[in-house]
């Protein structure tokens, strides 16, 4: 029997780097071979016009132990300075779409366009016009921009460690599969980190709204949670969100800081609805086979990697 190659899913966050090594079977079963978590060196995200220091480049070596050059490596970029835009456009050609997405993201960047790498993904969507009795086709577009120096720095760090990246995606890109797993197509993901909380509102596999909230030094724990509640309500009530889905939407909770005692209960009370920690969905999945039991904290931290694996099986 032919031995299947390992796939490496790496989520580099500003605080922690998570590596999940797995073998994805033809049946869709995902055999987790190893999970590695380490602190991300502060020097990994260099200041302007600087390169990552040698110490930062070396931190990946133990995390990549056992890697072979012919194995797949998926990098999930998890950085607060990634610029994200969600747009709805009428049908147009790919060249027209490239031009309008670049223009829209340039407005959000407010910096030298040439210093940023811009990319996007578009989905065709039918909008039913009830009174006219016809379908109106639209394009749902997710645009992403990242500074070229950050992207080049990350690629160089992996190359210096003898590793060739296969795919680079924003860490939130595969998170829409949570709504498939939860048998619901619409809802909000709240990802709470040490210094930032991010909000992702999905309708199906389309990210409709993205916001982030930074922790102010003057806030205590309750004040931070109050601000998370306000931003969650603002996202749910956003004009870009389809109000017809309000009664059916779900709220999922992610991020290491969401595991602190009282956080889930506080948000459930003030958002007046059921909030589901993402690890509860993931720990029930039969297709995920771990070498040993995983704690809720571990599942929470590696959730983007696991979502990326599951999405890969759905697309192949």
């Amino acid at each position: 029997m032919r031995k299947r190659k390992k796939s490496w899913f790496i989520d580099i966050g500003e605080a922690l780097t998570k590596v999940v090594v797995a073998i994805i079977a033809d049946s869709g079963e995902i055999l987790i071979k190893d999970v590695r978590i380490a602190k991300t060196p502060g020097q990994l995200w260099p200041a302007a016009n600087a390169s990552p220091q040698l110490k930062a480049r070396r931190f990946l070596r133990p995390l990549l132990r056992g890697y072979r050059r012919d194995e797949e490596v998926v990098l999930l970029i998890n950085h607060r300075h990634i610029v994200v835009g969600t747009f709805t456009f009428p049908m147009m050609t790919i060249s027209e779409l490239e031009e309008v997405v670049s223009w829209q993201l340039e407005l959000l960047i407010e910096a030298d366009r040439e210093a940023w790498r811009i990319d996007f993904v578009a989905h065709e969507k039918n909008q039913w016009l009830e009174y006219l009795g016809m379908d109106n086709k639209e394009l749902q577009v997710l645009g992403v921009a990242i500074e070229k120096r950050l992207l080049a720095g990350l690629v160089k760090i992996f190359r210096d460690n003898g590793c060739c990246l296969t795919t680079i995606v924003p860490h939130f890109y595969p998170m829409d599969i949570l709504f498939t797993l939860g048998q619901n197509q619409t809802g909000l993901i709240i990802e709470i980190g040490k210094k930032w909380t991010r909000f992702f509102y999905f309708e199906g596999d389309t990210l409709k709204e993205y916001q982030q909230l930074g922790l102010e030094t003057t806030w205590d724990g309750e004040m931070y949670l109050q601000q998370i509640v306000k931003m969650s309500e603002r996202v749910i009530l956003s004009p870009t969100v389809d109000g017809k889905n309000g009664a059916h939407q779900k709220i999922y909770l992610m991020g290491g800081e969401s595991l602190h005692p009282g956080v889930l209960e506080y948000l459930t009370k003030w958002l007046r609805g059921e909030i589901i920690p993402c690890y509860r969905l993931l720990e029930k999945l039969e297709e995920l086979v771990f070498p040993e039991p995983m704690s809720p904290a571990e599942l929470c931290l590696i959730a983007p990697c696991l979502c990326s694996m599951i999405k890969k099986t759905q697309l192949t």
Side-chain angles (χ1 to χ4, degrees), residues 202-218:
F202 283 92
E203 290 180 4
D205 59 358
T206 302
L207 180 64
K208 294 289 291 185
E209 184 75 14
Y210 167 81
Q211 296 290 340
Q212 58 182 6
L213 173 70
L215 172 61
E216 300 285 347
T217 55
T218 56

Side-chain angles (χ1 to χ4, degrees), residues 124-172:
E124 185 177 308
K125 180 181 179 182
N126 281 354
Q127 182 183 32
W128 178 251
L129 303 180
E130 182 177 356
Y131 296 106
L132 297 180
M134 60 182 289
D135 287 336
N136 179 36
K137 290 187 176 181
E138 297 177 328
L139 288 172
Q140 300 286 349
V141 181
L142 168 64
V144 178
I146 182 172
E147 288 185 83
K148 290 179 180 178
R149 65 180 182 86
L150 288 179
L151 192 59
L154 287 171
V155 172
K156 186 177 188 304
I157 288 172
F158 280 88
R159 188 170 60 243
D160 289 348
N161 284 275
C163 179
C164 181
L165 295 173
T166 308
T167 306
I168 303 175
V169 295
H171 86 292
F172 60 81

Side-chain angles (χ1 to χ4, degrees), residues 96-111:
E96 291 172 332
L97 189 57
E98 288 176 352
E99 183 177 349
V100 71
V101 171
S102 293
W103 179 75
Q104 290 280 5
L105 286 176
E106 285 172 19
L107 297 177
L108 299 176
I109 292 170
E110 298 181 349

Side-chain angles (χ1 to χ4, degrees), residues 22-34:
I23 294 177
I24 301 177
D26 292 333
S27 63
E29 187 177 56
I30 300 171
L31 305 174
I32 308 297
K33 307 302 290 184
D34 202 359

Side-chain angles (χ1 to χ4, degrees), residues 71-86:
E71 292 173 341
E72 176 188 34
V73 181
V74 177
L75 174 62
L76 291 85
I77 298 182
N78 185 352
H79 193 273
R80 69 178 183 273
H81 290 312
I82 292 178
V83 175
V84 179
T86 59

Side-chain angles (χ1 to χ4, degrees), residues 72-292:
E72 176 188 34
V73 181
V74 177
L75 174 62
L76 291 85
I77 298 182
N78 185 352
H79 193 273
R80 69 178 183 273
H81 290 312
I82 292 178
V83 175
V84 179
T86 59
F87 315 105
T88 301
F89 298 124
M91 295 298 294
M92 61 182 71
T93 65
I94 186 65
S95 59
E96 291 172 332
L97 189 57
E98 288 176 352
E99 183 177 349
V100 71
V101 171
S102 293
W103 179 75
Q104 290 280 5
L105 286 176
E106 285 172 19
L107 297 177
L108 299 176
I109 292 170
E110 298 181 349
D112 179 14
R113 160 67 178 87
E114 296 303 316
W116 291 73
R117 166 69 184 270
I118 291 177
D119 210 341
F120 65 90
V121 61
H123 296 281
E124 185 177 308
K125 180 181 179 182
N126 281 354
Q127 182 183 32
W128 178 251
L129 303 180
E130 182 177 356
Y131 296 106
L132 297 180
M134 60 182 289
D135 287 336
N136 179 36
K137 290 187 176 181
E138 297 177 328
L139 288 172
Q140 300 286 349
V141 181
L142 168 64
V144 178
I146 182 172
E147 288 185 83
K148 290 179 180 178
R149 65 180 182 86
L150 288 179
L151 192 59
L154 287 171
V155 172
K156 186 177 188 304
I157 288 172
F158 280 88
R159 188 170 60 243
D160 289 348
N161 284 275
C163 179
C164 181
L165 295 173
T166 308
T167 306
I168 303 175
V169 295
H171 86 292
F172 60 81
Y173 177 66
M175 287 183 186
D176 60 282
I177 63 97
L178 288 176
F179 299 104
T180 303
L181 299 176
Q183 298 181 337
N184 194 288
Q185 295 299 312
T186 301
L188 174 67
I189 295 173
I190 306 173
E191 183 188 34
I192 306 179
K194 268 192 178 309
K195 296 181 180 180
W196 294 84
T197 293
R198 284 172 281 200
F199 306 81
F200 310 93
Y201 193 97
F202 283 92
E203 290 180 4
D205 59 358
T206 302
L207 180 64
K208 294 289 291 185
E209 184 75 14
Y210 167 81
Q211 296 290 340
Q212 58 182 6
L213 173 70
L215 172 61
E216 300 285 347
T217 55
T218 56
W219 293 350
D220 59 15
E222 184 173 5
M223 177 65 74
Y224 191 22
L225 290 175
Q226 288 176 355
Q227 298 304 315
I228 290 173
V229 169
K230 290 179 181 178
M231 182 61 78
S232 299
E233 292 174 336
R234 187 184 308 170
V235 170
I236 292 172
L237 296 174
S238 167
T240 62
V241 169
D242 188 351
K244 293 181 293 184
N245 293 318
H248 307 290
Q249 66 192 1
K250 294 286 186 182
I251 300 178
Y252 293 103
L253 200 56
M254 298 181 68
E257 297 302 300
S258 69
L259 296 169
H260 286 297
V263 171
L264 175 61
E265 293 76 12
Y266 187 96
L267 295 179
T268 300
K269 174 184 176 181
W270 288 98
L271 289 174
R272 299 177 295 278
E274 182 184 15
I275 299 179
I276 305 170
C278 65
Y279 68 82
R280 290 184 184 170
L281 286 177
L282 296 171
E283 65 187 2
K284 295 178 181 178
L285 292 181
E286 295 181 356
E287 58 261 49
L288 289 175
V289 181
F290 294 94
E292 58 186 25

